[in-house]
Amino acid sequence: MSELTENAFMEKIVSLCKRRGFIFQSSEIYGGINGFWDFGPLGAELRKNIRDCWWNDMVRSRDDVVGLESAIIMHPKVWEASGHVAGFNDPMVDCKVSKQRFRADQLFFAAVIVDGKAAGYVSALESEKTAEELQEKAETFKRKKALAGKLEPVQARDFTQAKPDEIPLIPSPATGEAGSLTAPRAFNMMLQTWVGALRDESSIAYLRPETAQGMFVDFKAVVDTGRVKIPFGVAQIGKSFRNEITPRNFIFRSREFEQMEMEYFISDEDDWAKWHRYWIDWCRNWLVSVGIPAAKLSEYNHPREKLSHYSKGTTDIMFQFPFGAQELWGIAARGNYDLSQHAKFSGVAMEYFDDAARRRFVPHVVEPAVGVDRIMLAILCSAYAEDEAPDEKGKMESRVVLRFAPRIAPVKAAIFPLLKNKPELVAKAKEVRDLLRPHLNVFYDEAGAIGRRYRRQDEIGTPFGVTVDFDTLGEKGDELRDTVTVRDRDTMKQERMKISKLLEFLLSKIH
RNA sequence: GCGGGCGUAGUUCAAUGGUAGAACGGCAGCCUUCCAAGCUGCACACGAGGGUUCGAUUCCCUUCGCCCGCUCCA
């Protein structure tokens, strides 16, 4: 696809999601708020299905994974231990001309002083020889300006020490020209609030930027009570918050999002790479099981030099979004960094005692982390299709259809009376609805021509349409009495079956 | 956060310095024996705030939001 059609494709997804009640801009009546989304009736169903599938497959179907729901707001020290507080408080400086951004404490500058008078400023980024670089730049500066006199040795300072009246005079390391640098600003990606009656430094708390820390902080509690044996995992689904500078690409990057994370604890002597691979494969298979085509998935291994010092390896499962291949699921081997950090900060030993080996150790961890929102978007992008369907007169017309995997579809089956002005059809159709409703999310619709009703369901991805017609009532004899037609969303083919077989049939297709 | 583009019914679009139309969609009714049929009726919009003006959806400013490109993504 060309760039234009990729963008057009996204716009179709966005407007379908709005039109059919999957996704709304948050607070729309007040003009909206950037980076937050609401999920309408069908969106809420779709997300519930995503969460339920994950939870069933990740937790309930396994002997070695247990669930957890930790609080969104935790003790502020959690985020000091995890590194989020320090990592988020770096003051940053923007160059308005080059659009580059620098950490203020890594951007150095010095006044050029000739014969005791300040002639201007030079700047350089932190390196092994920042001082020499500044000295050389000062000499070049003096030569270019043809200044006579004695150049004093430069005194390097970092940008956090720049006085407000100096900032406009300091050249950008990117352009060499002064006047384009902003004052240092702190970019703290954590949303914060105050807990309790007082609003001061001591009452600051953060909305979690990831759910993972809950599993680490509660590690001992789970081990002591959960009857778990290494290797084992702790899984959690929940909202997380990051004050993203640029939320973009619909729900791909937002400020409030929902994560599904699992920390798989293994022995420090176990082969982490084996488990890393195991979970990458598990995640890929799971994605395929919810209807994401394997052909749109790829893997990206983070290069060693870019990994955090504690990380042994991180692999992202990438999905080919309309706006490019982007991270969908990150599988990180985090060593024992997190547990060790919490042991250090809390003073509580984060160890596991291996009864068989009579040995105590800090487990290592492999973490598959994914967002409900990104999976939802990947599913929507994978499912969207336009094909041809015949109209009443047999003429081909284009049809919009969401080809959701049945297990993920918000509505599993729609129930229709062929005509709504025939009370017998309506009554029978409602009977069928009531038969299925305790087991499946079904939708009853009698408004409009039957073809229109099929199309409406196509657009929201309902895999099956069940129609009650005159044959159901026995118009053509007992052979067909109490049979209905079941129409397949993708093939548009119909199959007639006994109402008594209907539930069994649908369940077999859906699970 | 920076630069560019854009904000009109649910959606996709039109028109206009004198307070807005269409198509599709929605709802109700009639009709209709399987793929968006037809007829009738109904509801629904100028993102927000300020300014200029006798009068602003239209011009200007601000703001919010969306899209694109940078940046960011620990």
Side-chain angles (χ1 to χ4, degrees):
Chain A
M1 275 193 283
S2 75
E3 257 174 55
L4 191 75
T5 61
E6 280 164 1
N7 191 30
F9 183 80
M10 266 318 285
E11 281 173 11
K12 283 182 173 183
I13 300 268
V14 171
S15 88
L16 172 63
C17 285
K18 175 76 191 294
R19 194 167 71 239
R20 291 304 191 185
F22 283 94
I23 301 170
F24 307 132
Q25 170 80 56
S26 173
S27 313
E28 202 176 17
I29 63 168
Y30 290 104
I33 176 166
N34 191 2
F36 298 89
W37 301 94
D38 293 346
F39 301 98
L42 292 174
E45 288 291 338
L46 178 56
R47 292 170 70 82
K48 178 170 163 40
N49 292 343
I50 291 169
R51 286 192 295 260
D52 287 353
C53 282
W54 188 87
W55 192 263
N56 273 321
D57 297 341
M58 179 62 92
V59 181
R60 293 188 172 169
S61 307
R62 298 185 65 103
D63 294 327
D64 59 346
V65 178
V66 294
L68 180 75
E69 281 192 35
S70 64
I72 287 174
I73 292 179
M74 303 172 84
H75 194 291
K77 280 217 164 170
V78 168
W79 308 110
E80 287 175 34
S82 69
H84 287 83
V85 170
F88 280 176
N89 276 329
D90 302 327
M92 304 296 284
V93 175
D94 285 326
C95 169
K96 288 184 282 195
V97 172
S98 69
K99 311 302 179 199
Q100 287 193 54
R101 175 168 289 168
F102 312 99
R103 272 178 60 167
D105 59 344
Q106 293 176 355
L107 172 53
F108 286 84
F109 71 100
V112 180
I113 298 172
V114 178
D115 284 346
K117 283 186 293 189
Y121 288 85
V122 289
S123 67
L125 293 175
E126 183 173 47
S127 68
E128 282 167 12
K129 42 185 177 37
T130 307
E132 290 96 312
E133 195 181 333
L134 286 172
Q135 187 66 44
E136 282 169 25
K137 283 185 172 175
E139 283 160 16
T140 308
F141 182 92
K142 175 175 173 255
R143 199 163 52 243
K144 277 194 175 168
K145 296 266 175 175
L147 298 172
K150 184 176 177 296
L151 176 69
E152 291 183 14
V154 299
Q155 296 285 320
R157 286 180 286 159
D158 76 52
F159 206 81
T160 61
Q161 297 166 296
K163 298 186 185 88
D165 56 331
E166 288 180 313
I167 288 172
L169 305 173
I170 299 170
S172 160
T175 64
E177 299 296 323
S180 67
L181 294 177
T182 64
R185 285 173 294 195
F187 285 90
N188 193 323
M189 293 266 284
M190 280 194 291
L191 285 151
Q192 66 176 41
T193 186
W194 294 268
V195 173
L198 289 176
R199 290 207 162 193
D200 59 21
E201 281 292 309
S202 71
S203 66
I204 289 178
Y206 302 98
L207 305 190
R208 65 182 175 198
E210 62 175 34
T211 61
Q213 294 305 321
M215 279 80 98
F216 297 126
V217 169
D218 287 348
F219 173 76
K220 271 193 73 64
V222 172
V223 168
D224 290 348
T225 63
R227 304 194 63 204
V228 288
K229 272 190 193 162
I230 281 228
F232 71 93
V234 185
Q236 169 159 222
I237 299 177
K239 294 271 187 153
S240 294
F241 304 81
R242 296 181 195 180
N243 198 6
E244 295 285 354
I245 295 167
T246 313
R248 199 58 78 86
N249 290 327
F250 202 26
I251 58 170
F252 180 80
R253 174 175 294 122
S254 45
R255 291 181 168 134
E256 174 178 337
F257 56 104
E258 187 159 29
Q259 290 185 302
M260 303 193 290
E261 295 192 293
M262 195 277 289
E263 305 301 326
Y264 198 73
F265 297 101
I266 60 174
S267 162
D268 56 345
E269 292 173 343
D270 205 342
D271 176 8
W272 68 267
K274 178 191 76 182
W275 285 110
H276 190 230
R277 188 68 242 170
Y278 170 87
W279 284 109
I280 294 167
D281 292 340
W282 188 95
C283 295
R284 284 188 83 126
N285 289 336
W286 190 86
L287 289 170
V288 171
S289 81
V290 294
I292 294 175
K296 288 199 169 190
L297 299 174
S298 57
E299 284 174 28
Y300 172 77
N301 294 307
H302 289 230
R304 285 206 155 277
E305 59 274 19
K306 282 205 167 183
L307 291 175
S308 323
H309 63 278
Y310 57 83
S311 178
K312 293 170 183 293
T314 298
T315 299
D316 290 340
I317 298 177
M318 313 286 282
F319 175 76
Q320 187 63 46
F321 285 98
F323 43 85
Q326 298 282 341
E327 177 191 346
L328 183 56
W329 207 324
I331 298 95
R334 297 172 66 101
N336 62 7
Y337 177 79
D338 300 277
L339 287 179
S340 300
Q341 282 291 101
H342 286 301
K344 195 167 119 193
F345 277 70
S346 68
V348 175
M350 290 291 186
E351 291 174 325
Y352 175 87
F353 184 70
D354 185 334
D355 266 314
R358 312 299 298 165
R359 196 170 69 84
R360 204 174 286 282
F361 59 90
V362 180
H364 287 223
V365 73
V366 174
E367 172 197 271
V370 70
V372 174
D373 312 84
R374 288 189 180 183
I375 287 184
M376 183 184 191
L377 185 56
I379 284 176
L380 284 164
C381 291
S382 303
Y384 185 90
E386 290 173 11
D387 65 6
E388 302 259 294
D391 71 6
E392 205 184 23
K393 299 172 189 88
K395 202 179 100 212
M396 297 307 275
E397 289 196 335
S398 81
R399 161 181 94 132
V400 172
V401 54
L402 289 179
R403 298 190 199 279
F404 288 137
R407 71 193 296 238
I408 222 79
V411 179
K412 307 302 187 196
I415 318 299
F416 313 121
L418 184 57
L419 301 172
K420 89 165 160 177
N421 59 356
K422 297 287 183 288
E424 309 82 17
L425 289 176
V426 169
K428 195 71 187 174
K430 286 184 174 169
E431 231 177 76
V432 172
R433 174 198 64 187
D434 293 341
L435 174 77
L436 298 176
R437 195 143 64 173
H439 310 279
L440 295 167
N441 190 35
V442 298
F443 184 78
Y444 172 82
D445 190 6
E446 58 179 30
I450 188 72
R452 172 188 295 270
R453 283 177 271 162
Y454 285 143
R455 296 296 176 85
R456 276 201 281 248
Q457 295 302 318
D458 289 341
E459 221 182 34
I460 65 168
T462 304
F464 300 101
V466 176
T467 302
V468 170
D469 60 12
F470 292 96
D471 294 350
T472 313
L473 303 176
E475 196 170 78
K476 283 190 186 152
D478 287 345
E479 182 75 10
L480 294 180
R481 186 188 297 278
D482 285 329
T483 62
V484 288
T485 62
V486 178
R487 181 249 197 196
D488 182 283
R489 175 195 66 204
D490 299 330
T491 63
M492 289 182 277
K493 294 264 166 51
Q494 286 176 310
E495 187 179 344
R496 186 168 279 278
M497 68 181 70
K498 288 265 184 207
I499 291 173
S500 57
K501 295 277 182 197
L502 190 55
L503 179 61
E504 188 191 350
F505 171 83
L506 291 173
L507 288 175
S508 77
K509 294 284 187 184
I510 286 159
H511 296 290

